[in-house]
């Protein structure tokens, strides 16, 4: 069973993502090292003791829908109530609406634990966080007054309604209609698919944020508006009014996250007796500017989806390590040399091949964790420095840069680590009761939703490396280089060839970055896009490996982090040379071979 | 829906695995190019039209057991009867027992198609093939007379019973007991787990091949004997006699291959009223020499499991390509340049990132297919040249060398390609009804059973590269080098940098091979084992890429194969440098970091 690695998480926050110096300067509000530890400890206990025990049952039972009413797995409604009562939903919400306004980085750390315990359960609150942010940033005072406090506390839940059958990655194809009503509200008509927690029994009300198009809207993404559509209308006194014309039509039968209802939602088809058809909606932000508001939700949601990858990877590592320490098969060389009585079998963790798998799992999880926390911290720093425009911009661009990497690299890692976890279990890994298979099934959605990892890579290449004419990415690479220099300067035997390996990877990343910048300057989009996915992985591996080494430098008392950073550098960074080659020399053969696919 | 790629398969057999020259020399018995095409066409039709339509229902329905009686999915029993009636089970069986004695390579090709259509269905016959081989090679004349013809025809099915709860990868821990009976037969007592198709309703009788230990057997693997244990005893006239004391206790709830019953089997617990406890078994081969017999089954079974990886990968590629051609999202650069009317969206296959995924799927599938067929062909050539000891040994060692690569590389590819297939589908990929998720669930077992891929890598390093003092692997690498030289000699623009990329990969493989040979000579097992998995992948990627190029050289009429070989070489072979580094420089950091796992 999952045990929250709170020491590891606290270290990554303080020493790797640099919360420690920020707290010292008072940039993170009331957050102190002690408070941070206390929050992590409480969250870790809740995740391990309350959520994790309900994960397997929730997966087995799944969700069902009957005449628009969705039933969640046994115990999950009570679990959610318990979780809300603990104040966990309010962790990052604005203080004026009852939130604790704690940093995004800490939220990412806590969400990692919820996701390790049960990704299907943690997914619901992830959406509410996004709704709070969008409403806080772009909503009118009336909307905030009516909805925000209850979304912050978790008494009500939020959703994101983007996808339609013909509009997935490409939102320009949205068809859901919004019509202006006389009272200043709107009526929404249309169908949305893949709506996570679109309907459930956790809360009395559900607040849908819905992208739709006004009759006179420009074509494409510039004609999309964002609306708040509550399941139950809210009366002037704040009490629940009549049922709105939005219903769950069906829930999907999915590979994983079975406890999380993935709904097809029907807006405005006239399902309410005695009422005219049309779901009542309220505009968030300006008409036709919905995409801007949605991106507010999405940036944070993307980070938290990246955190799902970290969470599942951590859970998979723990499960595999526990098994490998218990399971005995064969004789390791240590046994063969007579260290244990003859006839006995070794725990499989002693076999080099199994150890390689486990260390790969641990190293990649650590890389992804560090990137995600650093991304969250950049968001927090942008907020903390908002009075100094130039510094805030630097941090904002840092967050922008790291978001697609945190999302895509970490979720790819989630799948990879969960699959390795199955392999470590041997035949047991394929048996559902073991739990390792569930982690792979759950992990597999994360590279897809909140913008596929391909979309993330395109975002990184086409929007992020060009920020401030390349200054943002250059500054980040220079920071990584400082750590690499420090490793080399340390000259410690335990680091082995870590410094050289990191330097080589960083050179690969720099070279690939420069190549893509030139391709973009030349408007050679085919070349830039062909290497996008490889570039993102190259970026993630290099940054992650540097972060592991940074942790090792900061943890002078123990050698474990140095060993792991060295394993990462000497064993797993060899991939970067090939990735660089794909970026700078792969486009021509890709373009030529595309004819095969026609 | 799956369409058997018979042109592609025929080409890989004839031109890449070199069946064409072997047929010309009359080394493959009655097999002619025309017969080969005819068999593939008929098999392809059966796979596509009969098996594939029952795959999804079989997955959804799964299997169940009730008082020892296993029910397979609706229609599968009839499908099996249909398949047997078509003579498919008898394809490779010995002619004197009604088989067609066709080559192993052709069998691998045909099994690829069964597995593309439904891995869960194809798995049963895979086990029967192994039972036929073991019985044919090691069984007494009486046993052959009683069982072989019906196993060859498929009227009866075979199983392999190795694993016990404490004995998975390490068979020395087997506890199942065998006792000698007065009539020369044996009585078997014990429990076996993970027995594929251990019980089912396809056939009137099931012939279990069971590893067990005699009371006076030496400890360890030198005290294991192999027994034939029929579900129903066979009377002297060949008719079915009484029920034997072997029963299915339960079937596993698995991640995938739901249509295939994975059974816990109980031997000899006295479940037959009026009979003494003990399952009646008959010795195959000699007492305490069971492992040798079992390896006869396993080598072939390992190849056929590798073929499962190829089959699933092919199915995943086809499904993803079909989707990517239909699904329209966004505008590719071709569209943006005005090649299609504005406002229209592009099929996603035109986006470079999607094309990269699809080409990666196709290239890796082609690599794995070529390796598997070449492995099968080496087995056939060893048989064809058995009168010339030195040549037969060369081929036998070639088959030995390629078997672990065919098994592990191809099944890893199966998982990787199936996962990419989900990604290409976006959100649809996570919905079970689409079918892409099932392919990943099915594929995930293949790296585990028939010897985990870690075991395959250890086998490759510790037993195979040392064959004939390294001459076997050297000769194989020299053959690969010939193809690389031919690519360079061709000097065709379409090949781009293929020749150089192949040469670099082959150098990496040679260097890693030499390093491991030295480590083994120095008895430095920790170093050799640490790099085993990386070495196997390095081997598979390099050999596979060379085979793609070999196909391109042989197919002078079209450029498709050249484009694919070039894509493989320029985009996917960059991994080899990092893999080599893991082999030759990764062991020290792995060993140091192992302390973290204690």
């Amino acid at each position: 069973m999952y045990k929250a690695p709170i020491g590891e998480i606290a270290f990554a926050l303080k020493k790797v993502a640099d919360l420690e110096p920020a707290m010292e300067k008072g940039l993170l509000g009331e957050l102190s090292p002690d408070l941070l530890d206390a929050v992590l400890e409480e969250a870790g206990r809740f995740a391990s003791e309350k959520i994790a025990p309900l994960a397997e049952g929730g997966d087995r039972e799944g969700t069902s829908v009957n005449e628009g009413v969705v039933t969640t797995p046994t115990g999950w409604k009570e679990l959610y109530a318990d979780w809300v009562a603990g104040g966990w939903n309010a962790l990052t919400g604005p203080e004026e609406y009852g939130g604790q306004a704690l940093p995004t980085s800490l939220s990412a750390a806590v969400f990692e634990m919820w996701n390790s315990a049960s990704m299907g359960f943690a997914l619901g609150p992830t959406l509410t966080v996004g709704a709070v942010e969008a409403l806080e940033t772009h909503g009118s005072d009336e909307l905030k007054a009516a909805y925000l406090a209850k979304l912050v506390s978790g008494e009500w839940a939020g959703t994101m309604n983007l996808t339609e059958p013909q509009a997935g990655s490409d939102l320009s194809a949205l068809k859901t209609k919004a019509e202006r009503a006389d009272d200043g509200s709107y009526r929404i008509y249309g169908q949305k698919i893949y709506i996570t927690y679109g309907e459930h029994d956790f809360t009395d009300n559900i607040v849908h944020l819905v992208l739709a198009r006004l009759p006179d809207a420009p074509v494409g993404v510039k004609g999309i508006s964002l609306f708040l559509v509550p399941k139950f209308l809210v009366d002037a006194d704040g009490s629940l009014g009549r049922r709105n014309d939005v219903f769950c039509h069906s829930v999907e039968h999915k590979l994983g996250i079975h406890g999380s209802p993935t709904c097809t939602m029907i807006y405005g088809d006239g399902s309410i007796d005695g009422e005219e058809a049309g779901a009542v909606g309220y505009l968030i932000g300006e008409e036709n500017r919905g995409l801007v508001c949605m991106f507010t939700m999405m940036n944070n949601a993307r980070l938290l989806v990246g955190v799902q990858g970290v969470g599942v990877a951590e859970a998979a590592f723990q499960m595999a390590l526990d098994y490998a320490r218990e399971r005995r098969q064969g004789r390791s060389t240590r046994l063969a040399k007579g260290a244990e009585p003859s006839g006995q079998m070794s725990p499989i963790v002693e076999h080099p091949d199994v150890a390689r798998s486990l260390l790969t799992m641990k190293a990649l999880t650590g890389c992804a964790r560090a990137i995600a926390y650093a991304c969250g911290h950049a968001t927090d720093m942008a907020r903390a420095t908002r009075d100094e425009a130039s510094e805030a911009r630097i941090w904002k661009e840092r967050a922008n840069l790291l978001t697609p990497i945190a999302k895509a690299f970490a979720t790819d890692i989630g799948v990879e680590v969960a699959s390795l976890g199955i392999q470590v279990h041997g035949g047991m890994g394929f048996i559902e009761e073991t739990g390792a298979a569930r982690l792979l099934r759950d992990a597999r959605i994360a590279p897809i939703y909140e913008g596929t990892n391909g979309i993330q890579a395109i975002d990184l290449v086409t929007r992020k490396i060009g920020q401030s004419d390349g200054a943002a990415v250059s500054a980040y690479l220079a920071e990584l280089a400082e750590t690499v220099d420090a490793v080399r300067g340390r000259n410690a035997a335990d680091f082995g060839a870590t410094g050289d390996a990191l330097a080589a990877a960083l050179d690969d990343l720099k070279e690939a970055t420069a190549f893509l910048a030139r391709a973009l300057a030349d408007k050679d989009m085919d070349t830039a896009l062909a290497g996008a996915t490889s570039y993102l992985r190259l970026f993630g591996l290099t940054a992650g490996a540097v972060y592991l080494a940074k942790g090792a430098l900061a943890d002078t008392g123990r050698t474990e982090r140095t060993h792991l950073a060295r394993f990462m550098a000497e064993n797993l960074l060899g991939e970067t040379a090939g990735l660089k080659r794909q970026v700078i020399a792969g486009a021509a053969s890709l373009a030529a071979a595309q004819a095969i696919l026609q």
Side-chain angles (χ1 to χ4, degrees), chain A:
Chain A
M1 187 71 80
Y2 170 69
K3 278 184 66 174
I6 52 176
E8 190 62 35
I9 289 175
F11 183 89
L13 285 171
K14 293 178 190 170
K15 303 287 190 180
V16 181
D18 285 340
L19 265 70
E20 201 168 73
M23 287 188 286
E24 279 168 15
K25 290 182 199 153
L27 289 169
L28 299 181
E30 290 175 17
L31 190 67
S32 64
D34 286 350
L35 176 58
L36 185 146
D37 290 338
V39 169
L40 291 179
E41 184 153 342
E42 281 305 309
R45 190 174 302 142
F46 195 96
S48 306
E49 295 176 9
K50 301 282 182 73
I51 302 177
L54 292 181
E56 197 206 324
D59 175 69
R60 212 171 38 233
E61 206 176 327
T63 65
S64 58
V65 61
N66 186 13
E67 302 202 343
V69 177
V70 167
T71 306
T72 53
T74 305
W76 280 34
K77 179 182 159 82
E78 295 74 18
L79 175 64
Y80 179 80
D82 202 2
W83 183 83
V84 164
W88 293 114
N89 198 75
L91 206 68
T92 54
E95 285 177 307
E96 57 269 48
Y97 293 93
Q100 298 178 60
L102 286 166
T104 305
S105 59
L106 182 59
S107 168
V110 170
F111 264 97
E112 179 196 316
M113 297 192 259
W114 312 143
N115 279 298
S116 287
S118 168
M119 188 170 142
F121 178 78
L123 188 51
T126 305
L127 276 301
T128 304
V129 168
V132 167
E133 286 218 12
L135 194 55
E136 184 193 358
T137 314
H138 302 285
S140 66
D141 289 343
E142 291 87 343
L143 281 182
K144 286 189 202 176
Y147 294 93
L148 205 43
K150 290 186 174 173
L151 282 170
V152 166
S153 71
E155 184 180 339
W156 297 348
T159 75
M160 285 172 71
N161 285 241
L162 288 76
T163 305
E164 300 174 12
Q166 78 293 346
S169 296
D170 187 349
L171 291 174
S172 70
L174 279 187
K175 287 183 182 166
T176 294
K177 282 189 292 192
E179 291 178 0
R180 298 180 188 89
D182 296 339
D183 62 354
S185 69
Y186 296 77
R187 296 295 173 273
I188 313 294
Y189 307 88
Q191 184 194 24
K192 294 285 182 180
I193 60 170
Y194 302 155
I195 305 310
T196 298
Y197 277 89
E199 177 60 65
H200 57 77
D201 50 12
F202 286 2
T203 56
D204 295 334
N205 205 4
I206 301 172
V207 179
H208 304 291
L209 298 204
V210 184
L211 289 183
R213 194 182 289 285
L214 287 159
D216 51 2
V219 295
V221 292
K222 288 176 179 167
I224 295 173
S225 306
L226 180 64
F227 299 91
L228 183 155
V229 182
K231 176 179 171 182
F232 285 96
L233 302 185
V234 179
D235 290 336
D237 63 355
S239 65
L240 291 186
R242 75 166 171 88
R243 184 70 166 82
N244 203 356
D245 189 8
V246 47
F247 288 91
C248 171
H249 170 267
S250 54
V251 295
E252 301 290 354
H253 175 217
K254 308 186 298 293
L255 174 61
I257 53 167
H258 289 163
S260 160
T262 303
C263 302
T264 294
M265 303 297 295
I266 307 290
Y267 287 85
D269 75 340
S271 294
I272 308 283
D273 286 344
E275 298 282 346
E276 265 183 65
V280 176
Y282 310 98
L283 185 69
I284 296 182
E286 295 171 39
E287 287 185 355
N288 302 326
R289 299 271 297 156
L291 217 57
V292 176
C293 308
M294 212 65 189
F295 269 113
T296 302
M297 291 177 73
M298 279 206 296
N299 263 340
N300 193 15
R302 284 174 173 182
L303 169 58
L304 290 186
V305 168
V307 164
Q308 297 188 321
V310 182
V312 171
E314 173 66 32
F317 169 69
Q318 290 191 16
M319 196 182 282
L321 180 60
D322 286 349
Y323 183 78
R325 283 171 170 165
E326 289 293 320
R327 173 71 172 172
R328 288 173 179 267
Q329 287 287 279
R331 291 166 66 75
S332 68
T333 53
R334 194 175 67 81
L335 256 194
K337 283 173 193 149
E340 284 189 35
S342 106
Q344 205 175 332
M345 296 194 289
S346 306
I348 61 171
V349 70
E350 292 187 4
H351 296 302
D353 186 69
V354 175
R356 171 182 292 281
S357 295
L358 289 165
L359 289 168
T360 300
M361 295 168 77
K362 186 171 175 69
L364 292 177
T365 305
C367 290
R369 174 182 289 131
I371 292 168
Y373 294 179
C375 177
H377 184 58
T379 305
D380 296 324
M381 289 300 285
R383 199 177 300 132
T385 59
R386 68 191 136 204
D387 297 335
E388 297 162 81
S390 67
E391 202 181 346
R393 196 190 65 188
I394 287 169
W395 284 112
K396 180 68 192 146
E397 290 184 347
R398 171 70 54 89
N400 290 342
L401 176 68
L402 292 183
T403 295
I405 302 165
K407 195 279 179 178
F409 180 72
T411 56
D412 281 343
I413 289 312
V415 173
E416 206 170 319
V417 170
S419 188
L420 279 170
I422 289 178
Q423 191 68 21
V424 169
H425 282 83
M428 287 280 288
F430 202 62
I431 307 299
E432 283 287 1
E433 284 78 1
T434 305
R438 170 173 62 80
L439 295 175
L440 176 62
R441 289 191 289 97
D442 287 354
R444 195 62 196 77
I445 187 58
I448 296 172
Y449 59 20
E450 284 309 314
T452 67
N453 285 1
I455 296 284
Q456 304 299 327
I458 293 169
D459 176 52
L460 173 64
V461 168
T462 61
R463 297 198 198 97
K464 304 305 171 62
I465 62 181
Q467 291 181 118
S468 292
D469 285 330
V473 67
S474 293
Y476 183 69
L477 297 181
E479 261 188 47
L480 297 182
E482 282 174 29
T483 301
V484 177
D485 289 344
V487 171
R488 287 174 139 174
R490 181 69 60 95
N491 204 12
D494 280 346
F495 267 123
T498 303
D500 291 346
L502 291 176
L506 192 55
D507 283 345
D508 290 334
L509 178 57
K510 283 179 186 165
E511 207 181 319
T513 304
F515 176 86
L516 290 173
R518 277 196 304 277
L520 291 166
D522 296 345
K523 307 240 181 287
D524 182 0
M525 293 310 292
D526 279 332
T527 295
L529 295 175
T533 287
S534 311
Y535 177 70
L536 189 147
R537 185 168 177 93
L538 167 58
F539 209 130
L541 281 172
T542 305
V546 171
Y547 283 132
L548 290 191
K550 183 179 177 182
L553 289 169
D555 190 7
T556 48
R558 304 182 315 150
T559 55
E560 281 86 344
R561 287 181 205 282
T562 306
H563 288 318
L564 191 67
R566 180 183 171 200
F567 174 80
M568 177 74 204
E570 294 188 10
N571 272 284
L572 305 183
L573 269 190
E575 206 182 319
T576 62
L579 292 166
K580 178 194 76 176
R581 201 166 100 188
Q582 287 181 29
V583 175
I584 68 174
S589 65
L590 173 60
Q594 271 193 271
I596 302 172
L597 304 173
Q598 298 308 316

